[in-house]
């Protein structure tokens, strides 16, 4: 239940110093109390999430932008935790930097030729949009699509991003390339890379080191 999940996290919280930007304000406290009282409409977690997102557009806290920046979060998390927890960044480029974009394309082509498994994704994206998976092999058409995915990640947009937090909208547009983690379930019915029936990721919600929820994307 949401009550027991939150209680466990709150009991652990006293061991952690909070960034000033993360200190619960009166609005957030009221949102949590409303969810716990079951007096709101809809699911508790959804209610908290949507109201929190709306609140970010009113407060516009820049100190939290790195949490939605697929490039910055790798180094910042390693600095805070003392070890690298993300998959390493193999290449990246900002929108408008044509030379850097070409270097990323070259890096992707070279690694693909060596049979490496890769994922190409927007630095500024969310909800698994404009993400390209390369399992280390594919047809000529899929190889071409892999290279084209670099530009698609940089310039891509999705309407769902407009309903995300203010911080996501501030992330510099760009592309990152990382190793592709192992996927146990392949495509179905002999389909290609985009016919996959497995979820792209398991997203785990953690508060102060305590798991409080999870979703499949």
């Amino acid at each position: 239940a949401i009550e027991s999940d939150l209680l466990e996290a709150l009991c652990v919280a006293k061991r952690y110093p909070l960034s000033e930007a993360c200190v619960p304000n009166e609005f957030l406290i009221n949102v949590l109390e409303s969810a716990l009282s079951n007096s709101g409409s809809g699911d508790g977690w959804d209610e908290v999430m949507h109201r929190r997102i709306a609140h970010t557009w009113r407060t516009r806290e820049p100190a939290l932008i790195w949490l939605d920046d697929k490039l910055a979060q790798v180094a910042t998390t390693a600095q805070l935790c003392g070890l690298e927890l993300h998959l390493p960044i193999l290449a990246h480029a900002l929108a408008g930097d044509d030379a850097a974009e070409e270097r990323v394309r070259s890096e992707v082509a070279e690694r693909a030729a060596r049979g490496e498994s890769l994922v190409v994704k927007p630095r500024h994206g969310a909800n698994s949009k404009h993400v390209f998976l390369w399992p280390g092999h594919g047809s000529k058409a899929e190889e071409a699509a892999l290279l084209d995915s670099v530009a698609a990640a940089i310039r891509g947009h999705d309407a769902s991003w407009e309903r995300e937090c203010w911080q996501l909208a501030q992330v510099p547009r760009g592309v990152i390339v990382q190793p592709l983690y192992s996927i146990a379930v392949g495509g179905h019915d002999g389909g290609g890379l985009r016919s996959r029936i497995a979820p792209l990721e398991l997203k785990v919600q953690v508060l102060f080191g305590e798991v409080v929820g999870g979703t499949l994307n």
Side-chain angles (χ1 to χ4, degrees), residues 79-148:
Q79 181 181 7
L80 292 173
C81 298
L83 71 162
E84 190 169 278
L85 297 174
H86 291 78
L87 291 171
I89 302 294
L90 303 177
H92 66 90
L94 281 171
D97 189 336
D98 295 339
E101 181 178 342
E102 186 55 38
R103 287 195 295 272
V104 171
R105 284 176 57 89
S106 297
E107 184 75 17
V108 166
E110 291 174 9
R111 290 180 178 275
R114 294 198 295 266
E116 295 185 26
S117 300
L118 306 170
V119 57
V120 179
K121 65 178 74 171
R123 172 179 176 174
H124 54 286
N127 307 323
S128 304
K129 303 300 183 181
H130 300 289
V131 174
F132 192 93
L133 309 181
W134 176 256
H137 57 84
S139 66
K140 291 296 184 182
E142 288 170 336
E143 289 180 11
L146 170 64
L147 296 181
D148 291 343

Side-chain angles (χ1 to χ4, degrees), residues 155-172:
R155 299 171 180 82
H157 177 74
D158 189 79
S160 69
W161 299 350
E162 299 171 10
R163 299 188 293 273
E164 295 291 342
C165 64
W166 175 84
Q167 283 78 12
L168 179 66
Q170 312 314 305
V171 176

Side-chain angles (χ1 to χ4, degrees), residues 32-105:
L32 295 174
E33 289 180 346
S34 176
L36 292 174
S37 68
N38 294 319
S39 61
S41 60
D43 180 79
W45 276 118
D46 286 346
E47 184 176 359
V48 170
M49 178 182 69
H50 292 307
R51 294 184 67 183
R52 176 60 174 161
I53 287 173
H55 189 59
T56 66
W57 287 90
R58 292 191 290 270
T59 57
R60 305 194 174 203
E61 176 54 68
L64 301 178
I65 293 174
W66 71 272
L67 291 168
D68 288 286
D69 187 329
K70 303 296 187 296
L71 179 63
Q73 65 185 213
V74 175
T76 302
T77 300
Q79 181 181 7
L80 292 173
C81 298
L83 71 162
E84 190 169 278
L85 297 174
H86 291 78
L87 291 171
I89 302 294
L90 303 177
H92 66 90
L94 281 171
D97 189 336
D98 295 339
E101 181 178 342
E102 186 55 38
R103 287 195 295 272
V104 171
R105 284 176 57 89

